[in-house]
CSV table of all heavy atoms in Angstrom, one decimal:
chain,number,residue,atom,x,y,z
A,30,TYR,N,94.2,60.2,61.1
A,30,TYR,CA,95.1,60.8,60.2
A,30,TYR,C,94.7,62.1,59.6
A,30,TYR,O,93.5,62.4,59.5
A,30,TYR,CB,95.4,59.8,59.0
A,30,TYR,CG,94.2,59.4,58.2
A,30,TYR,CD1,93.9,60.2,57.1
A,30,TYR,CD2,93.4,58.3,58.4
A,30,TYR,CE1,92.8,59.9,56.2
A,30,TYR,CE2,92.4,58.0,57.6
A,30,TYR,CZ,92.1,58.8,56.5
A,30,TYR,OH,91.0,58.5,55.7
A,31,SER,N,95.6,62.9,59.1
A,31,SER,CA,95.4,64.2,58.5
A,31,SER,C,96.5,64.5,57.5
A,31,SER,O,97.6,63.9,57.6
A,31,SER,CB,95.2,65.3,59.5
A,31,SER,OG,96.4,65.5,60.3
A,32,GLY,N,96.3,65.4,56.6
A,32,GLY,CA,97.3,65.9,55.7
A,32,GLY,C,97.5,65.2,54.4
A,32,GLY,O,98.4,65.5,53.7
A,33,PHE,N,96.6,64.2,54.2
A,33,PHE,CA,96.6,63.5,52.9
A,33,PHE,C,95.2,63.0,52.6
A,33,PHE,O,94.4,62.8,53.5
A,33,PHE,CB,97.6,62.4,52.9
A,33,PHE,CG,97.3,61.3,53.9
A,33,PHE,CD1,96.6,60.2,53.6
A,33,PHE,CD2,97.7,61.4,55.3
A,33,PHE,CE1,96.4,59.2,54.5
A,33,PHE,CE2,97.5,60.5,56.2
A,33,PHE,CZ,96.8,59.3,55.8
A,34,GLY,N,95.0,62.7,51.3
A,34,GLY,CA,93.8,62.0,50.9
A,34,GLY,C,93.8,60.6,51.3
A,34,GLY,O,94.9,59.9,51.3
A,35,PRO,N,92.6,60.0,51.4
A,35,PRO,CA,92.6,58.6,52.0
A,35,PRO,C,93.0,57.5,51.0
A,35,PRO,O,93.3,56.4,51.5
A,35,PRO,CB,91.1,58.4,52.3
A,35,PRO,CG,90.4,59.4,51.4
A,35,PRO,CD,91.3,60.5,51.3
A,36,ASN,N,93.1,57.8,49.7
A,36,ASN,CA,93.3,56.7,48.7
A,36,ASN,C,94.6,56.9,47.9
A,36,ASN,O,94.7,56.4,46.8
A,36,ASN,CB,92.1,56.5,47.9
A,36,ASN,CG,90.9,56.1,48.6
A,36,ASN,OD1,90.9,55.2,49.4
A,36,ASN,ND2,89.8,56.9,48.5
A,37,TYR,N,95.5,57.7,48.3
A,37,TYR,CA,96.8,58.0,47.6
A,37,TYR,C,97.9,57.1,48.0
A,37,TYR,O,98.9,56.9,47.2
A,37,TYR,CB,97.2,59.4,47.7
A,37,TYR,CG,96.2,60.3,46.9
A,37,TYR,CD1,95.2,61.1,47.5
A,37,TYR,CD2,96.4,60.5,45.5
A,37,TYR,CE1,94.4,61.9,46.8
A,37,TYR,CE2,95.6,61.3,44.8
A,37,TYR,CZ,94.6,62.0,45.4
A,37,TYR,OH,93.7,62.8,44.7
A,38,TYR,N,97.9,56.6,49.2
A,38,TYR,CA,99.0,55.8,49.8
A,38,TYR,C,98.4,54.6,50.5
A,38,TYR,O,97.3,54.6,51.1
A,38,TYR,CB,99.8,56.6,50.8
A,38,TYR,CG,100.4,57.9,50.2
A,38,TYR,CD1,99.7,59.1,50.5
A,38,TYR,CD2,101.6,57.9,49.5
A,38,TYR,CE1,100.2,60.3,50.0
A,38,TYR,CE2,102.1,59.1,49.0
A,38,TYR,CZ,101.4,60.3,49.3
A,38,TYR,OH,101.9,61.5,48.8
A,39,ASN,N,99.2,53.5,50.5
A,39,ASN,CA,98.9,52.4,51.4
A,39,ASN,C,98.9,52.9,52.8
A,39,ASN,O,99.8,53.7,53.2
A,39,ASN,CB,99.9,51.2,51.2
A,39,ASN,CG,99.8,50.6,49.8
A,39,ASN,OD1,98.9,50.9,49.1
A,39,ASN,ND2,100.8,49.8,49.5
A,40,ILE,N,98.0,52.4,53.7
A,40,ILE,CA,98.0,52.8,55.1
A,40,ILE,C,97.8,51.5,55.9
A,40,ILE,O,97.1,50.6,55.5
A,40,ILE,CB,96.9,53.8,55.4
A,40,ILE,CG1,97.1,54.4,56.8
A,40,ILE,CG2,95.5,53.3,55.2
A,40,ILE,CD1,96.3,55.7,57.0
A,41,GLY,N,98.6,51.4,57.0
A,41,GLY,CA,98.4,50.2,57.8
A,41,GLY,C,99.2,50.3,59.1
A,41,GLY,O,99.5,51.4,59.6
A,42,TRP,N,99.5,49.2,59.7
A,42,TRP,CA,100.1,49.0,61.0
A,42,TRP,C,101.4,48.2,60.9
A,42,TRP,O,101.5,47.2,60.3
A,42,TRP,CB,99.2,48.4,62.0
A,42,TRP,CG,97.9,49.2,62.2
A,42,TRP,CD1,96.8,49.1,61.5
A,42,TRP,CD2,97.7,50.1,63.2
A,42,TRP,NE1,95.8,50.0,62.0
A,42,TRP,CE2,96.4,50.6,63.1
A,42,TRP,CE3,98.5,50.6,64.3
A,42,TRP,CZ2,95.9,51.6,63.9
A,42,TRP,CZ3,98.0,51.6,65.1
A,42,TRP,CH2,96.7,52.0,65.0
A,43,TYR,N,102.4,48.7,61.7
A,43,TYR,CA,103.6,48.0,62.0
A,43,TYR,C,103.7,47.7,63.5
A,43,TYR,O,103.0,48.4,64.2
A,43,TYR,CB,104.9,48.7,61.5
A,43,TYR,CG,105.2,48.7,60.1
A,43,TYR,CD1,104.4,49.3,59.1
A,43,TYR,CD2,106.4,48.1,59.7
A,43,TYR,CE1,104.8,49.3,57.8
A,43,TYR,CE2,106.8,48.1,58.3
A,43,TYR,CZ,106.0,48.7,57.4
A,43,TYR,OH,106.3,48.7,56.1
A,44,ARG,N,104.6,46.8,63.9
A,44,ARG,CA,104.8,46.7,65.3
A,44,ARG,C,106.3,46.4,65.5
A,44,ARG,O,107.0,45.9,64.7
A,44,ARG,CB,104.0,45.6,65.9
A,44,ARG,CG,104.3,44.2,65.4
A,44,ARG,CD,103.2,43.2,66.0
A,44,ARG,NE,103.5,41.8,65.6
A,44,ARG,CZ,102.7,40.8,65.8
A,44,ARG,NH1,101.6,41.0,66.5
A,44,ARG,NH2,103.0,39.6,65.3
A,45,GLN,N,106.8,46.7,66.7
A,45,GLN,CA,108.2,46.5,67.1
A,45,GLN,C,108.3,46.0,68.5
A,45,GLN,O,107.9,46.7,69.4
A,45,GLN,CB,109.0,47.7,66.9
A,45,GLN,CG,110.5,47.5,67.1
A,45,GLN,CD,111.3,48.6,66.6
A,45,GLN,OE1,110.9,49.8,66.5
A,45,GLN,NE2,112.6,48.4,66.2
A,46,ALA,N,108.7,44.8,68.7
A,46,ALA,CA,109.0,44.2,70.0
A,46,ALA,C,110.4,44.6,70.5
A,46,ALA,O,111.3,44.8,69.6
A,46,ALA,CB,108.8,42.7,70.0
A,47,PRO,N,110.7,44.6,71.8
A,47,PRO,CA,112.0,44.9,72.2
A,47,PRO,C,113.1,43.9,71.6
A,47,PRO,O,112.9,42.7,71.6
A,47,PRO,CB,111.9,44.6,73.8
A,47,PRO,CG,110.5,44.9,74.1
A,47,PRO,CD,109.7,44.4,72.9
A,48,GLY,N,114.1,44.5,71.1
A,48,GLY,CA,115.2,43.7,70.5
A,48,GLY,C,114.9,43.2,69.1
A,48,GLY,O,115.7,42.4,68.5
A,49,LYS,N,113.7,43.5,68.6
A,49,LYS,CA,113.3,43.0,67.3
A,49,LYS,C,113.2,44.2,66.3
A,49,LYS,O,113.0,45.3,66.6
A,49,LYS,CB,112.0,42.3,67.4
A,49,LYS,CG,112.0,41.1,68.3
A,49,LYS,CD,112.8,40.0,67.7
A,49,LYS,CE,112.8,38.7,68.6
A,49,LYS,NZ,111.4,38.1,68.6
A,50,GLU,N,113.3,43.8,65.0
A,50,GLU,CA,113.1,44.8,63.9
A,50,GLU,C,111.6,45.1,63.8
A,50,GLU,O,110.7,44.3,64.0
A,50,GLU,CB,113.6,44.2,62.6
A,50,GLU,CG,113.6,45.1,61.4
A,50,GLU,CD,114.2,44.5,60.2
A,50,GLU,OE1,115.2,43.9,60.3
A,50,GLU,OE2,113.7,44.7,59.1
A,51,ARG,N,111.3,46.3,63.4
A,51,ARG,CA,109.9,46.7,63.2
A,51,ARG,C,109.4,45.9,62.0
A,51,ARG,O,110.1,45.9,60.9
A,51,ARG,CB,109.9,48.2,62.9
A,51,ARG,CG,108.5,48.8,62.9
A,51,ARG,CD,108.5,50.3,62.8
A,51,ARG,NE,109.1,50.9,64.0
A,51,ARG,CZ,109.2,52.2,64.2
A,51,ARG,NH1,108.6,53.1,63.3
A,51,ARG,NH2,109.8,52.7,65.2
A,52,GLU,N,108.2,45.4,62.1
A,52,GLU,CA,107.6,44.5,61.1
A,52,GLU,C,106.2,44.9,60.7
A,52,GLU,O,105.5,45.4,61.6
A,52,GLU,CB,107.6,43.1,61.5
A,52,GLU,CG,106.7,42.8,62.7
A,52,GLU,CD,106.7,41.3,63.1
A,52,GLU,OE1,107.3,40.5,62.4
A,52,GLU,OE2,105.9,41.0,64.1
A,53,PRO,N,105.9,44.8,59.4
A,53,PRO,CA,104.5,45.1,59.0
A,53,PRO,C,103.5,44.1,59.6
A,53,PRO,O,103.8,42.9,59.6
A,53,PRO,CB,104.5,45.1,57.5
A,53,PRO,CG,105.7,44.1,57.2
A,53,PRO,CD,106.7,44.4,58.3
A,54,VAL,N,102.3,44.5,60.0
A,54,VAL,CA,101.3,43.7,60.5
A,54,VAL,C,100.1,43.6,59.6
A,54,VAL,O,99.6,42.5,59.3
A,54,VAL,CB,100.8,44.2,61.9
A,54,VAL,CG1,99.7,43.4,62.4
A,54,VAL,CG2,102.0,44.2,62.9
A,55,SER,N,99.7,44.7,59.1
A,55,SER,CA,98.5,44.8,58.2
A,55,SER,C,98.5,46.1,57.5
A,55,SER,O,98.9,47.1,58.0
A,55,SER,CB,97.2,44.6,59.1
A,55,SER,OG,96.1,44.6,58.2
A,56,CYS,N,97.9,46.1,56.3
A,56,CYS,CA,97.7,47.3,55.5
A,56,CYS,C,96.6,47.2,54.6
A,56,CYS,O,96.1,46.1,54.3
A,56,CYS,CB,99.0,47.7,54.7
A,56,CYS,SG,99.3,46.7,53.3
A,57,ILE,N,96.1,48.4,54.2
A,57,ILE,CA,95.1,48.5,53.1
A,57,ILE,C,95.8,49.1,51.9
A,57,ILE,O,96.4,50.2,52.0
A,57,ILE,CB,94.0,49.5,53.6
A,57,ILE,CG1,93.3,48.9,54.9
A,57,ILE,CG2,92.9,49.6,52.5
A,57,ILE,CD1,92.3,49.8,55.5
A,58,VAL,N,95.6,48.5,50.8
A,58,VAL,CA,96.2,48.9,49.5
A,58,VAL,C,95.4,50.0,48.9
A,58,VAL,O,94.2,49.9,48.8
A,58,VAL,CB,96.3,47.7,48.5
A,58,VAL,CG1,97.0,48.2,47.2
A,58,VAL,CG2,97.1,46.6,49.1
A,59,SER,N,96.1,51.2,48.6
A,59,SER,CA,95.4,52.4,48.2
A,59,SER,C,94.6,52.2,46.9
A,59,SER,O,93.6,52.8,46.7
A,59,SER,CB,96.3,53.5,48.1
A,59,SER,OG,97.3,53.3,47.1
A,60,SER,N,95.2,51.4,45.9
A,60,SER,CA,94.6,51.3,44.6
A,60,SER,C,93.3,50.7,44.5
A,60,SER,O,92.4,51.1,43.7
A,60,SER,CB,95.6,50.6,43.7
A,60,SER,OG,95.9,49.3,44.2
A,61,ASP,N,93.0,49.7,45.4
A,61,ASP,CA,91.8,49.0,45.3
A,61,ASP,C,91.1,48.6,46.6
A,61,ASP,O,90.1,47.9,46.6
A,61,ASP,CB,91.9,47.7,44.4
A,61,ASP,CG,93.0,46.7,45.0
A,61,ASP,OD1,93.5,47.0,46.1
A,61,ASP,OD2,93.3,45.8,44.3
A,62,GLY,N,91.8,49.0,47.7
A,62,GLY,CA,91.2,48.7,49.0
A,62,GLY,C,91.5,47.3,49.6
A,62,GLY,O,90.9,46.9,50.6
A,63,ARG,N,92.2,46.5,48.9
A,63,ARG,CA,92.6,45.2,49.3
A,63,ARG,C,93.3,45.2,50.7
A,63,ARG,O,94.0,46.2,50.9
A,63,ARG,CB,93.4,44.4,48.3
A,63,ARG,CG,92.6,43.9,47.1
A,63,ARG,CD,93.5,43.2,46.1
A,63,ARG,NE,94.6,44.0,45.6
A,63,ARG,CZ,95.9,43.9,45.8
A,63,ARG,NH1,96.3,42.9,46.6
A,63,ARG,NH2,96.7,44.7,45.2
A,64,THR,N,93.2,44.2,51.5
A,64,THR,CA,93.8,44.2,52.8
A,64,THR,C,94.9,43.1,52.8
A,64,THR,O,94.8,42.1,52.1
A,64,THR,CB,92.9,43.9,53.9
A,64,THR,OG1,92.1,42.7,53.7
A,64,THR,CG2,91.9,45.1,54.0
A,65,TRP,N,95.9,43.3,53.6
A,65,TRP,CA,97.0,42.3,53.7
A,65,TRP,C,97.3,42.1,55.2
A,65,TRP,O,97.2,43.1,56.0
A,65,TRP,CB,98.3,42.8,53.0
A,65,TRP,CG,99.5,42.0,53.3
A,65,TRP,CD1,99.9,40.9,52.6
A,65,TRP,CD2,100.4,42.1,54.3
A,65,TRP,NE1,101.0,40.3,53.1
A,65,TRP,CE2,101.4,41.1,54.2
A,65,TRP,CE3,100.5,43.0,55.4
A,65,TRP,CZ2,102.4,40.9,55.1
A,65,TRP,CZ3,101.6,42.9,56.3
A,65,TRP,CH2,102.5,41.9,56.1
A,66,TYR,N,97.6,40.9,55.6
A,66,TYR,CA,97.9,40.5,56.9
A,66,TYR,C,99.1,39.7,57.0
A,66,TYR,O,99.3,38.8,56.2
A,66,TYR,CB,96.8,39.8,57.6
A,66,TYR,CG,95.5,40.6,57.7
A,66,TYR,CD1,94.5,40.5,56.7
A,66,TYR,CD2,95.2,41.4,58.8
A,66,TYR,CE1,93.3,41.2,56.8
A,66,TYR,CE2,94.0,42.1,58.9
A,66,TYR,CZ,93.1,42.0,57.8
A,66,TYR,OH,91.9,42.7,57.9
A,67,GLU,N,100.0,39.9,58.0
A,67,GLU,CA,101.1,39.1,58.3
A,67,GLU,C,100.5,37.7,58.8
A,67,GLU,O,99.5,37.6,59.4
A,67,GLU,CB,102.0,39.7,59.4
A,67,GLU,CG,103.4,39.1,59.5
A,67,GLU,CD,103.4,37.9,60.4
A,67,GLU,OE1,102.6,37.8,61.4
A,67,GLU,OE2,104.2,37.0,60.1
A,68,ASP,N,101.2,36.6,58.4
A,68,ASP,CA,100.7,35.3,58.7
A,68,ASP,C,100.3,35.0,60.1
A,68,ASP,O,99.3,34.4,60.4
A,68,ASP,CB,101.7,34.2,58.2
A,68,ASP,CG,101.8,34.1,56.7
A,68,ASP,OD1,100.9,34.6,56.0
A,68,ASP,OD2,102.8,33.5,56.3
């Protein structure tokens, strides 16, 4: 990544399978570094 500081926005991953809506997979919360995962 480039163009922003590392701790101002949540950053993570989405995925999209054919015929499906794009869904969040995992992210890092900018405020405290906590992580989140799809079940």
Side-chain angles (χ1 to χ4, degrees):
Y30 64 87
S31 62
F33 64 94
N36 299 309
Y37 287 99
Y38 305 96
N39 296 347
I40 191 165
W42 296 88
Y43 281 65
R44 66 186 180 188
Q45 187 168 25
K49 300 292 184 65
E50 183 177 322
R51 192 173 298 184
E52 64 176 0
V54 177
S55 182
C56 74
I57 301 172
V58 180
S59 63
S60 58
D61 59 8
R63 288 181 294 114
T64 58
W65 172 89
Y66 298 92
E67 198 275 328
D68 286 344

